Each structure stands twice: as structure tokens, then as C-alpha cells.
Amino acid sequence: MMAKRNVMLGMAVLMWGTAGVPSPLLAQRGGERMSATTRSTAADTMARAEPGDVIRLRIWREADMSGDYTIDATGHVTLPRLGATLVTSLSPDSLQQMLVAEYARYLKNPSVEVLLLRRVRVMGAVRAPGLYTADQTMRVRDVLALAGGATSEGRTDIVRLQRDGYSTSLSLTSAARTDEVVLRSGDQLYVPERSWFARNTPLLAAIVSVSGGLLFAFATR
């Protein structure tokens, strides 16, 4: 009876460990509100420069004026020659047109390229955690790839998105669910570790196998 009970216990532990039960931390308050905020349309979010964004400015034949410039909390960005310039609520196209007009005061027929980047921090069980810049076409999976993806101990089915003090879990097994999330500067992506049981499935399987062998040996005596 004791051996049989050990087998049943081992099998239960193995099944629970491989089920990938989400951590309670993934179900924090504000999840409903977070889901609503992340479902804003890509067109609306992509059309606006926001505080924290990075403007990648390239001016042809003006390497000393080209570079990456961060929009501050007031919505201003400090650009060469132009100084502090209010840019929030401008689309990339509108921003480019404005900068062409402004730089035309100093340069003859300036050729200006503007790329708006979001700053997103990736944390947890990833190979290269840190702060990354993502263009407006990039989604959650793309930014995780910039960080090298999950480590051998990291979960590949769930990531936690933290924004404005709220947190929600996103399923990485559902492309539609993650692709609808438009990233914003200040977002944090956290990849949790797999449970001890999930990381030690071979060991648990061996325990179950040994227990089963012992049970069979006892039963045939």
C-alpha cells in the first residue's frame, strides 16, 4: 500500500508540474483595466509621439546633427540647432514635415529621416535583460527576441506586461492576443521562471518509474 501511495503521489506531482500553472503574481489587481488599455488600436498609438519615446533623427550629410534624442516628461525633445521642441501628439509624418521646415532655416533643401522608437525594459528569465528601443511595428514577441528570448529556466508560454502601475499576463501561445498589444515607452516585460516541478520533469519521471518498478516487484512476490 505504501509503495502504491508513493506512485500515485509521484504521478500527481508530475502532472501538476508539467501543467504550467501560472504564478499567483500574474493575477494582480488591475488586470481588467490593463487589458482595456492595451487594446487601443495600433493606428491611434502609432500616430502619436509620447514622453519617453526616442526620436532617431538622420539628416543627410549632417552626421553631427543626427542621433537619438529622448522626449522628456513635458513632451519636449532637445534637438541640434532647434533646442527644446514640443513634439507630443505629432505623428511621425507630421514630425518629419515639421523638422524639414525648421531645419530649412539652417540648411539648404534638408533631407530628414525620422524614426519614432519606444523604450521597453525586459526583465526576468531572459538571456539579456535590459532596456530596448522598439520601432512601431514591433510587438511583444519581437522585443523578447531582442533580449535573446527566455533562458532554459524561463517560461515560454506567458509574459507579464507592467504599465502605469498595473500588471497583466499575456499568453505567448496565442499570437492574436500578443499581436494586438501596442507597446509604449515605459512598458516592462517580465518573463517568469518555470516552476521547480516543470524544470525537474525528468527527475520526477525517474522517481515515478522507480516507484512503479518497486510496486511491480512487491506485487509479484
Side-chain angles (χ1 to χ4, degrees):
M1 288 297 293
M2 181 64 69
K4 183 177 182 180
R5 192 162 31 235
N6 289 340
V7 173
M8 295 178 65
L9 177 60
M11 292 180 66
V13 169
L14 177 61
M15 293 175 64
W16 183 71
T18 57
V21 178
S23 165
L25 292 176
L26 298 180
Q28 296 184 6
R29 68 180 182 85
E32 292 298 325
R33 176 174 171 178
M34 189 64 189
S35 297
T37 59
T38 56
R39 289 175 183 170
S40 58
T41 64
D44 288 344
T45 303
M46 289 173 63
R48 297 291 181 267
E50 301 177 344
D53 289 350
V54 173
I55 294 176
R56 179 161 292 169
L57 178 64
R58 296 292 182 266
I59 304 178
W60 188 54
R61 291 186 176 178
E62 299 293 338
D64 58 328
M65 298 173 65
S66 302
D68 291 354
Y69 305 95
T70 304
I71 303 174
D72 65 22
T74 67
H76 291 79
V77 60
T78 302
L79 299 172
R81 296 282 188 96
L82 305 184
T85 305
L86 183 63
V87 295
T88 48
S89 299
L90 292 178
S91 68
D93 288 342
S94 298
L95 179 59
Q96 182 175 15
Q97 293 172 10
M98 182 193 74
L99 293 180
V100 168
E102 291 294 324
Y103 279 113
R105 296 158 48 193
Y106 307 98
L107 305 172
K108 184 178 180 180
N109 298 324
S111 176
V112 178
E113 293 182 2
V114 174
L115 182 62
L116 194 61
L117 302 173
R118 312 298 193 192
R119 293 194 305 168
V120 181
R121 186 172 297 279
V122 184
M123 306 179 296
V126 291
R127 301 184 187 280
L131 186 64
Y132 292 89
T133 54
D135 67 45
Q136 298 163 342
T137 65
M138 299 180 71
R139 294 297 182 262
V140 172
R141 295 171 184 272
D142 302 317
V143 177
L144 291 178
L146 290 178
T151 64
S152 59
E153 296 183 349
R155 294 186 61 167
T156 58
D157 59 334
I158 281 180
V159 63
R160 187 163 73 240
L161 171 62
Q162 299 173 343
R163 175 184 296 173
D164 297 334
Y166 291 89
S167 177
T168 190
S169 59
L170 302 175
S171 173
L172 294 175
T173 60
S174 173
R177 178 70 179 93
T178 55
D179 288 349
E180 73 179 10
V181 176
V182 179
L183 294 169
R184 295 169 49 189
S185 288
D187 284 350
Q188 297 183 4
L189 297 174
Y190 179 82
V191 176
E193 289 187 353
R194 293 185 296 152
S195 69
W196 183 91
F197 299 98
R199 286 184 280 119
N200 291 274
T201 298
L203 174 61
L204 295 171
I207 293 175
V208 171
S209 177
V210 170
S211 298
L214 291 176
L215 177 62
F216 178 79
F218 286 138
T220 55
R221 283 187 177 180

